[in-house]
């Protein structure tokens, strides 16, 4: 089988690669498993030295890596460069903090000694999406390797060049051979890879259906999994919100990565008193996006990653309009070569429409009018997802209370858009998955929390 990458701007083939067979993946996994037995015995200082090398190589190659993302999945250069810098940050963060995070913890008991020790599990499989082709992998890779695990990556089939580049960067940083390897395979081989006895756990970032399938297989093997899945993040605009500023933040969040982010703002829930004003500012901001060639530095929004994904998004818009949603902005496929979709705003969005019930993975905003704060919270939580959420208000005490106690999501922000950060736990509830990445919680997902007692 071949794996092919296509430039979503030009429609031209980028490259074709021979995929690994299941036997081929078994050979690689067996080398990675062998590497685990020596990697687990390296000190935190040794691992940190490789990780810091990796960070500086990433920084030195940020332009060329951003170009690779632009070509394979349409990310604009500015965002690609920022993504690579964030990968360097996560490498540095775990290089500097892993040892403290995984230090033995003494516990007072009647024994002469008792403590908790955090031991690596072995080879961990990462199944990753194309939308942040470097960041999604690095936020898994840095804590996983620092904890003493080894890892294999099955990346999304449309970004094989990024997948191979990551393997090469790890090699270049001086990590021992086979501590991290890329498997070039389609999703049909994931089951066989999870069932490989040398694979001890799996981390998947992707859609809810992919998560459900991977969780079922991992469950049948009694292997742990961490799932970072889709979202339909609600952003609540209360009557005392600074409207212009909130509208700018909301539009930025909706349009980042051409709207293809799990934690992009997707549903905008606005209280009646400020609805018209907010919509006016928000429409202006959404309209400012300039879409075109992602390699052109003037361009703020590239094409979507694939034309089939663009067409699927458009169908969600069409179906919502058929059920009564109204188009305020965009909503038509532009007459351009490339997988473009314009910034789009839908209002009068109601339950039963894809724009209300489902994840819209592109630059389409669903605006929902509500009577008051209580109704806003109810609508925000009226979703099968629970990844991020935000609330905009001048009253930060009230905002913090809503974020902490009322919104059913894994990451809740007040007066800003939801962002991932190496220092903060990241993940969702409900159909957005379970487990956490990043921070102390993230690095402790793939370890044996071992109790040691000495009489
Ligand atoms: P996707 O289609 O689910 O693919 C993600 C990865 O899973 C790819 O490597 C894909 O391989 C693989 N895959 C797909 N179906 C599978 C199956 N049945 N069994 C095993 N593996 C399977 O998702 P995507 O379109 O790449 O990414 C967009 C989705 O990811 C959105 O829903 C988004 O919200 C979510 N996401 C979540 C987070 C988060 O942190 N929560 C972050 C980013 C994205 P192939 O490419 O070979 O099909």
């Amino acid at each position: 089988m071949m794996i092919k990458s296509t430039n979503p701007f030009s429609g031209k083939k980028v490259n074709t690669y021979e995929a690994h067979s299941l036997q081929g993946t078994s050979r690689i996994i067996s080398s990675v498993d062998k590497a685990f037995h020596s990697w687990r015995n390296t000190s935190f200082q040794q691992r940190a030295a490789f990780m810091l090398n990796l960070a500086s190589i990433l920084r030195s190659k940020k332009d060329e890596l951003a170009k690779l993302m632009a070509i394979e999945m349409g990310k604009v250069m500015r965002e690609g460069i920022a993504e690579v810098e964030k990968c360097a940050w996560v490498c540095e963060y775990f290089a500097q903090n892993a040892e403290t995070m995984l230090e033995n913890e003494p516990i007072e008991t009647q024994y002469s000694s008792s403590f908790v020790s955090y031991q690596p599990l072995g080879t961990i499989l990462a199944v990753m999406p194309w939308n942040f082709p470097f960041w999604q992998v690095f936020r898994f890779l840095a804590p996983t390797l620092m904890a003493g695990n080894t890892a294999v990556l099955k990346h999304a089939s449309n970004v094989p060049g990024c997948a191979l580049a990551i393997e090469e960067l790890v090699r270049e940083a001086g990590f021992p051979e086979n501590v991290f390897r890329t498997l070039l395979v389609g999703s049909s081989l994931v089951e066989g890879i999870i069932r490989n006895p040398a694979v001890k756990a799996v981390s998947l970032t992707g859609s809810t259906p992919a998560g459900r399938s991977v969780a079922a297989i991992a469950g049948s093997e009694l292997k742990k999994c961490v799932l970072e899945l889709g979202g339909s993040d609600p952003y609540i605009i209360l009557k005392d919100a600074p409207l212009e500023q909130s509208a700018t933040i909301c539009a930025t969040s909706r349009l980042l990565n051409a709207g293809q982010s799990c934690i992009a703002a997707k549903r905008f829930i606005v209280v009646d008193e400020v609805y018209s004003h907010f919509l006016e500012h928000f429409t202006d901001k959404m309209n400012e996006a300039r879409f075109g060639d992602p390699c052109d530095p003037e361009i703020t929004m590239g094409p979507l990653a694939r034309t089939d994904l663009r067409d699927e998004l458009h169908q969600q818009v069409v179906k919502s309009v058929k059920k009564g949603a109204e188009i305020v902005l965009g909503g038509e496929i532009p007459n351009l070569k490339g997988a473009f979709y314009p910034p789009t705003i839908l209002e009068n969005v109601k339950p039963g429409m894809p724009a209300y019930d489902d994840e819209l993975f592109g630059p389409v905003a669903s605006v929902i009018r509500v009577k008051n704060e209580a109704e806003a919270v109810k609508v925000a939580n009226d979703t099968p997802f629970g990844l991020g959420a935000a609330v905009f208000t001048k009253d930060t005490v009230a905002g913090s209370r809503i974020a902490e106690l009322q919104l059913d999501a894994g990451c809740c922000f007040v007066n800003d858009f939801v962002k991932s950060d190496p220092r903060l736990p990241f993940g969702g509830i409900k159909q957005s998955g379970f487990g956490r990445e990043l921070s102390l919680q993230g690095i402790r997902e793939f370890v044996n929390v071992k109790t040691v007692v000495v009489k």
Side-chain angles (χ1 to χ4, degrees):
M1 186 189 142
M2 303 305 281
I3 289 193
K4 190 175 96 176
S5 50
T6 305
N7 183 329
F9 172 64
S10 65
K12 292 198 178 119
K13 183 183 89 178
V14 179
N15 223 328
T16 310
Y17 305 83
E18 181 81 48
H20 291 123
S21 61
L22 192 59
Q23 289 83 341
T25 67
S26 296
R27 277 192 293 277
I28 296 172
I29 292 166
S30 148
S31 323
V32 175
D33 186 41
K34 208 159 151 226
F36 169 66
H37 296 285
S38 40
W39 180 246
R40 71 175 306 168
N41 295 321
T42 52
S43 66
F44 281 104
Q45 287 77 5
Q46 286 169 311
R47 293 176 206 159
F50 297 128
M51 203 51 81
L52 292 172
N53 277 349
L54 184 54
S56 67
I57 296 169
L58 279 164
R59 289 191 200 283
S60 71
K61 295 195 164 174
K62 60 186 175 192
D63 292 323
E64 88 185 60
L65 299 174
K67 182 96 188 276
L68 184 56
M69 286 189 263
I71 290 170
E72 283 199 327
M73 50 69 68
K75 193 184 298 281
V76 295
M77 285 299 286
R78 191 164 40 100
E79 290 182 9
I81 290 169
E83 180 170 336
V84 177
E85 282 171 346
K86 194 164 168 183
C87 294
W89 179 25
V90 82
C91 291
E92 286 158 357
Y93 178 77
F94 282 104
Q96 287 150 7
N97 293 290
E99 183 168 11
T100 320
M101 289 169 161
L102 300 178
E103 230 164 39
N104 286 352
E105 286 171 15
I107 310 270
E108 270 307 309
T109 61
Q110 74 273 31
Y111 294 103
S112 62
S113 144
S114 44
F115 60 94
V116 178
S117 166
Y118 298 97
Q119 293 296 316
L121 294 179
T123 299
I124 316 295
L125 166 68
V127 181
M128 290 292 155
W130 46 263
N131 61 339
F132 293 90
F134 281 82
W135 170 244
Q136 305 294 0
V137 177
F138 275 87
R139 78 178 184 189
F140 157 83
L141 179 156
T144 303
L145 296 191
M146 281 307 298
N149 295 300
T150 49
V152 286
L153 166 68
K154 178 264 176 280
H155 216 325
S157 294
N158 55 330
V159 289
C162 293
L164 290 170
I166 295 169
E167 184 181 62
E168 189 48 37
L169 289 163
V170 172
R171 197 170 284 135
E172 217 182 312
F175 282 84
E177 204 58 27
N178 296 319
V179 159
F180 173 84
R181 291 290 302 276
T182 284
L183 309 173
L184 279 186
V185 290
S187 58
S188 60
L189 291 202
V190 170
E191 173 163 5
I193 297 170
I194 295 173
R195 295 199 191 282
N196 186 318
V199 169
K200 300 299 187 245
V202 49
S203 179
L204 174 130
T205 300
S207 60
T208 298
R212 199 169 267 130
S213 161
V214 161
I217 300 160
S220 75
E221 291 286 331
L222 299 178
K223 292 182 182 178
K224 181 170 184 180
C225 60
V226 166
L227 302 175
E228 298 286 0
L229 310 177
S232 180
D233 288 10
Y235 278 36
I236 294 177
I237 319 298
L238 293 179
K239 64 179 179 205
D240 64 346
L243 289 183
E244 200 169 342
Q245 201 185 323
S246 309
T248 306
I249 295 170
C250 287
T252 306
S253 174
R254 181 59 292 201
L255 297 181
L256 195 83
N257 206 31
Q260 304 163 114
S261 166
C262 53
I263 45 165
K266 288 172 188 152
R267 291 174 301 132
F268 301 86
I269 302 161
V270 190
V271 295
D272 203 30
E273 285 102 316
V274 293
Y275 182 87
S276 309
H277 271 108
F278 173 81
L279 189 58
E280 196 182 308
H281 289 304
F282 184 56
T283 308
D284 289 347
K285 291 293 164 195
M286 290 283 283
N287 221 355
E288 278 174 15
R290 291 202 48 210
F291 53 98
D293 181 355
C295 291
D296 176 344
E298 299 297 308
I299 290 303
T300 59
M301 205 174 104
L304 301 200
R306 301 194 312 249
T307 43
D308 61 307
L309 296 171
R310 188 271 310 274
D311 296 345
E312 218 175 276
L313 176 70
H314 185 56
Q315 278 315 307
Q316 291 176 305
V317 170
V318 169
K319 279 187 194 150
S320 301
V321 170
K322 271 200 188 128
K323 292 186 165 197
E326 286 162 38
I327 296 174
V328 178
L329 181 74
E332 296 281 345
I333 295 180
N335 191 15
L336 288 171
K337 194 164 52 102
F340 286 103
Y341 203 75
T344 295
I345 300 177
L346 299 177
E347 65 172 339
N348 205 20
V349 172
K350 298 264 160 49
M353 300 176 183
Y356 188 99
D357 299 333
D358 303 334
E359 179 179 38
L360 298 187
F361 214 58
V364 181
S366 301
V367 186
I368 303 164
R369 188 198 284 258
V370 289
K371 284 195 292 289
N372 51 32
E373 181 185 311
E375 193 188 351
V377 170
K378 195 160 161 255
V379 171
N381 292 334
D382 186 23
T383 168
F385 299 106
L387 193 53
V391 54
F392 292 82
T393 169
K394 278 204 185 97
D395 183 349
T396 50
V397 175
S400 171
R401 175 181 45 79
I402 294 169
E404 183 192 350
L405 303 175
Q406 296 181 14
L407 292 172
D408 299 336
C411 312
C412 297
F413 279 49
V414 179
N415 294 332
D416 203 0
F417 63 89
V418 180
K419 302 172 186 128
S420 57
D421 178 321
R423 298 163 296 185
L424 299 169
F426 184 90
I429 58 169
K430 302 200 275 183
Q431 289 186 18
S432 293
F434 47 74
R436 291 293 177 266
E437 290 197 281
L438 303 172
S439 77
L440 176 74
Q441 281 77 5
I443 198 170
R444 289 193 182 168
E445 288 285 4
F446 295 123
V447 289
N448 171 9
V449 181
K450 187 186 271 188
T451 298
V452 181
V453 174
V454 182
K455 194 166 177 190

